[in-house]
């Protein structure tokens, strides 16, 4: 084999591997988040002017807060002039090396003064005797803005908590308070702890009012930077009794949030839609089925509370509609509705199979028989209970609503257990009640319920139906006091009306 042939074979193997490797590197590069770079400076230990208590604390708090929201932080404390100039230079270089979608942020806490309309940040070793020397011993804020603007990135943020007081008030031409207003270069947001020419408070606690509020609010998702600093302004006004008013100006061209809003996933949206549908139904059966299908949902607590309210409302309505006046001077007896209510409440409190059986034996066609059978089945199958236990609140009676399902047509005068029903859609009219007991629902019991919870399941999955038990249930539709007849059914609304006719004929 010739050397040339060997080289060609080697290249045929190596080149595709190198290509794939470079593609992976390119994909990794594309997936990286845009750079967020912050230079945070806190100067408090001044040598020749009055020291400040909180700037270093403020800088450390701000550095930690910025790291929490995804910034790479360069932290400098008690910086001399040389140290501060070098930090600003390195900061500007890092921004220039980054892509244009990088975000630069500069935060400064410490002494700051203005002279002839220009602002200066004061290093801790400043020793000033004459105003003319300020540009030689201080650091012009404009130099910081120039470094950031030179990077041509889209977003820059400058935050100055730098007007604590004027340490050079005795020097001629340096007796102006606070900082002067600066023009924000394109794409820059400028924030000051107080308004132009005003003095900011250092703070009586570990942090200044301005920085403390900003650090607390920075991690709130979905808040635009303009709204964030408006909230900070309100906080500082409250904390200082209106003495200090933060101020900002902007020339930003993009929307910026320290923490973007968290968008719900498609699964979370579907979960909420399902719960909203169940909640609007105000049907205890649907709520119970929802809880059985979604026992660990983030809406399970709300569903249990709603089920408690709905069941309690049924209890209250039963008492109010069934109680007859007691004749005067007659011995007072226990009303049947009171006895049923006491028994179902006792079963719910006990939560045992025997307790629900006792209720069903006493009231097989009671107002809460269907709920009791569902809960009994849950207990027998060793599933988590869905019926919450608490004192029932007073509920307002709800007027029955007419059925809205189509296709009922004319109801027959007689319905037999083993003969075609003869009304409703084709799937219903051609089948008998006995057929439907072992059939699967045509529609989900709850709109949006996962198919796994009802598809290809028989009605016995939720009901202990045979002819006798079904007759007991159908009789509740003859004297419809629970509004059950007006509610939709997985076989269509007309099925309940047919059961009513069947019960009126003696369930033959």
């Amino acid at each position: 084999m010739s050397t040339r042939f060997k080289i060609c074979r080697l290249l045929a193997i190596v080149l595709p591997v190198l290509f794939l490797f470079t593609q992976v590197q390119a994909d990794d590069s594309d997936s990286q988040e845009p750079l967020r770079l912050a230079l945070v400076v806190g100067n408090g230990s001044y040598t020749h002017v009055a020291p400040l208590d909180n700037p270093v604390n403020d800088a450390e708090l701000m550095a930690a807060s910025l790291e929490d929201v995804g910034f790479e932080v360069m932290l400098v404390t008690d910086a001399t002039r040389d140290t501060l100039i070098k930090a600003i230079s390195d900061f500007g270089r890092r921004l220039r090396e980054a892509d244009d979608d990088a975000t630069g942020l500069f935060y400064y806490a410490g002494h700051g003064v203005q002279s002839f309309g220009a602002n200066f940040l004061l290093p801790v070793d400043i020793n000033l005797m004459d105003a003319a020397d300020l540009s030689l011993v201080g650091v012009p804020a404009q130099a910081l803005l120039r470094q950031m603007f030179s990077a041509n990135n889209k977003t820059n943020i400058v935050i100055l908590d730098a007007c604590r007081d004027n340490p050079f008030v005795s020097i001629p031409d340096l007796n102006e308070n606070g900082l002067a207003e600066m023009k924000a270069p394109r794409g820059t947001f400028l924030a000051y702890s107080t308004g132009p020419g005003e003095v900011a408070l250092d703070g009586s606690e570990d942090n200044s009012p301005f920085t403390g509020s900003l650090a607390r609010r920075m991690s709130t998702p979905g808040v635009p930077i303009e709204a964030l600093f408006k909230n900070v302004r309100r906080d500082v006004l409250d904390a200082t009794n209106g003495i200090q008013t933060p101020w900002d100006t902007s020339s930003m061209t993009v929307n910026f949030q320290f923490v973007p809003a968290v968008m719900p996933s498609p699964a979370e949206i579907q979960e909420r839609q399902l719960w909203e549908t169940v909640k609007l139904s105000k049907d205890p059966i649907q709520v119970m089925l929802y809880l059985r299908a979604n026992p660990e949902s983030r809406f399970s607590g709300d569903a249990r509370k709603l089920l408690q309210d709905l069941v309690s409302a049924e209890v209250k309505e039963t008492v109010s509609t069934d109680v007859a006046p007691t004749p005067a001077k007659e011995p007072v007896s226990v009303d049947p509705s009171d006895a049923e209510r006491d028994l179902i409440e006792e079963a719910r409190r006990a939560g045992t199979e025997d307790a629900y059986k006792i209720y069903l034996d006493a009231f097989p066609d009671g107002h809460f028989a269907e709920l009791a059978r569902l809960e009994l089945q849950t207990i027998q199958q060793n599933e988590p209970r869905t019926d919450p236990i608490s004192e029932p609140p007073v509920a307002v009676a709800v007027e029955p609503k007419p059925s809205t399902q189509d296709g009922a047509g004319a109801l027959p005068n007689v319905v037999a257990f083993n003969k075609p029903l003869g009304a409703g859609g084709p799937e219903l009219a051609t089948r008998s009640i006995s057929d439907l007991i072992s059939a699967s629902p045509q529609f989900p019991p709850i709109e949006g319920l996962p198919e796994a919870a009802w598809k290809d399941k028989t009605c016995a999955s939720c009901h202990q139906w045979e002819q006798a038990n079904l007759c007991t249930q159908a009789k509740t539709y003859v004297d419809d006091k629970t509004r059950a007849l007006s509610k939709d059914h997985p076989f269509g609304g007309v099925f309940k009306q047919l059961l009513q006719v069947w019960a009126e004929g003696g369930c033959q």
Side-chain angles (χ1 to χ4, degrees):
M1 184 182 295
S2 67
T3 302
R4 181 177 180 183
F5 182 72
K6 290 181 180 179
I7 293 174
C8 290
R9 287 194 63 185
L10 182 62
L11 288 175
I13 296 172
V14 171
L15 286 177
V17 174
L18 289 175
F19 175 76
L20 289 174
F21 179 73
T22 55
Q23 284 297 105
V24 170
Q25 285 187 318
D27 292 342
D28 288 344
S29 175
D30 292 341
S31 64
Q32 289 178 352
E33 294 292 330
L35 175 68
R36 284 183 160 196
L37 182 65
L39 173 58
V40 177
V41 180
N43 284 347
S45 299
Y46 287 91
T47 306
H48 303 290
V49 298
L52 296 170
D53 293 332
N54 286 336
V56 173
N57 294 338
D58 290 335
E60 291 174 344
L61 175 62
M62 188 54 54
S65 301
L66 288 168
E67 286 178 343
D68 288 343
V69 297
F71 276 82
E72 179 184 338
V73 177
M74 304 164 59
L75 174 62
V76 179
T77 58
D78 290 333
T80 64
R81 186 175 187 276
D82 291 344
T83 301
L84 185 54
I85 289 175
K86 184 178 185 306
I88 292 174
S89 176
D90 292 342
F91 176 59
R93 177 180 51 78
R94 288 285 310 278
L95 281 180
R96 287 190 292 274
E97 292 172 350
D99 295 333
D100 60 1
D101 57 355
T103 298
L105 185 146
F106 176 77
Y107 169 90
Y108 176 82
H111 278 307
V113 297
Q114 63 167 304
S115 178
F116 296 101
N119 293 321
F120 294 85
L121 311 179
L122 305 187
V124 294
D125 60 347
I126 189 167
N127 188 11
L128 184 66
M129 305 301 295
D130 194 294
D133 296 332
L134 182 57
S135 60
L136 303 177
V137 293
V139 177
Q142 195 64 37
L144 177 278
L145 293 177
R146 189 175 298 112
Q147 287 284 333
M148 299 178 78
F149 185 70
S150 70
N152 291 318
N153 56 316
K154 294 178 181 178
T155 307
N156 285 310
I157 302 165
V158 178
I159 304 170
L160 301 177
D161 195 354
C163 0
R164 312 290 172 112
D165 56 42
N166 183 358
F168 306 125
V169 68
S170 61
I171 298 178
D173 297 327
L174 276 180
N175 53 7
E176 294 183 88
N177 287 323
L179 297 180
E181 180 178 355
M182 295 188 295
K183 291 185 178 180
R186 185 181 67 250
T188 303
F189 186 92
L190 280 171
Y192 303 80
S193 58
T194 192
E198 301 294 331
V199 175
L201 300 179
D202 189 45
S204 58
E205 299 180 357
D206 291 337
N207 298 107
S208 75
F210 175 77
T211 295
S213 172
L214 178 57
R216 287 192 302 272
R217 290 188 173 275
M218 186 178 291
S219 60
T220 305
V223 180
I225 189 171
E226 296 84 0
L228 172 67
F229 278 90
K230 185 180 294 184
N231 293 333
V232 171
R233 185 178 302 122
R234 294 193 187 101
D235 291 345
V236 174
L237 283 167
D238 290 341
T240 63
N241 294 319
I243 295 175
Q244 180 178 334
T245 306
W247 178 82
D248 55 66
T249 183
S250 174
S251 64
M252 293 185 71
T253 57
V254 298
N255 296 322
F256 179 83
Q257 300 169 356
F258 281 99
V259 179
V262 179
M263 300 301 295
S265 66
E268 290 173 332
I269 294 174
Q270 185 179 15
E271 182 184 21
R272 176 173 288 278
Q273 289 174 341
L274 173 59
W275 164 238
E276 291 296 332
T277 300
V278 172
K279 183 172 67 173
L280 291 174
S281 75
K282 296 187 182 299
D283 185 344
I285 298 296
Q286 291 197 22
V287 178
M288 185 172 286
L289 288 173
Y290 171 83
L291 281 168
R292 294 182 66 184
N294 304 276
E296 303 300 328
S297 166
R298 58 195 172 116
F299 302 109
S300 295
D302 294 338
R304 292 187 178 90
K305 176 63 169 60
L306 177 59
L307 182 58
Q308 168 66 41
D309 293 344
L310 292 172
V311 172
S312 299
E314 293 279 4
V315 170
K316 294 292 184 182
E317 186 174 346
T318 301
V319 172
S320 64
T321 57
D322 287 357
V323 173
T326 303
K329 298 182 181 180
E330 289 285 334
V332 179
S333 60
V334 178
D335 189 275
S337 62
D338 289 336
E340 180 182 359
R341 178 190 179 207
D342 292 341
L343 204 55
I344 190 63
E345 288 301 311
E346 178 60 32
R348 295 175 65 226
R349 280 193 293 269
T352 64
E353 181 176 352
D354 288 342
Y356 280 103
K357 284 182 176 179
I358 290 172
Y359 168 82
L360 289 171
D361 289 343
F363 299 97
D365 57 349
H367 295 291
F368 312 107
E370 192 168 1
L371 282 172
R373 290 189 181 99
L374 276 173
E375 195 62 17
L376 180 60
Q377 182 180 355
T378 298
I379 295 170
Q380 291 172 336
Q381 295 178 356
N382 198 27
E383 296 176 353
R385 293 193 62 204
T386 54
D387 186 13
I389 306 300
S390 65
E391 286 298 321
V394 178
V396 179
V398 181
E399 290 296 326
K401 63 178 182 179
S403 175
T404 57
Q405 297 203 5
D406 298 328
L411 294 175
N413 293 325
V414 177
V415 173
F417 184 73
N418 292 309
K419 292 184 179 180
L421 293 170
E427 291 295 324
L428 193 65
T430 60
R431 306 174 79 175
S432 66
I433 297 175
S434 60
D435 293 334
L436 293 174
I437 288 177
S438 58
S440 299
Q442 298 176 20
F443 316 106
I446 306 172
E447 184 179 353
L449 190 69
E451 288 191 354
W454 67 274
K455 195 74 170 178
D456 300 326
K457 302 288 178 65
T458 67
C459 294
S461 299
C462 292
H463 306 278
Q464 296 179 342
W465 274 357
E466 55 188 35
Q467 184 169 358
N469 290 343
L470 187 57
C471 180
T472 298
Q473 182 65 37
K475 288 178 180 178
T476 66
Y477 303 144
V478 175
D479 185 16
D480 180 29
K481 295 177 182 177
T482 63
R483 307 188 310 279
L485 193 60
S486 66
K487 297 173 183 175
D488 294 337
H489 190 277
F491 287 129
V494 70
F495 181 63
K496 289 188 176 182
Q497 300 175 37
L498 291 166
L499 288 177
Q500 180 184 29
V501 174
W502 178 57
E504 288 172 344
C507 298
Q508 300 300 313

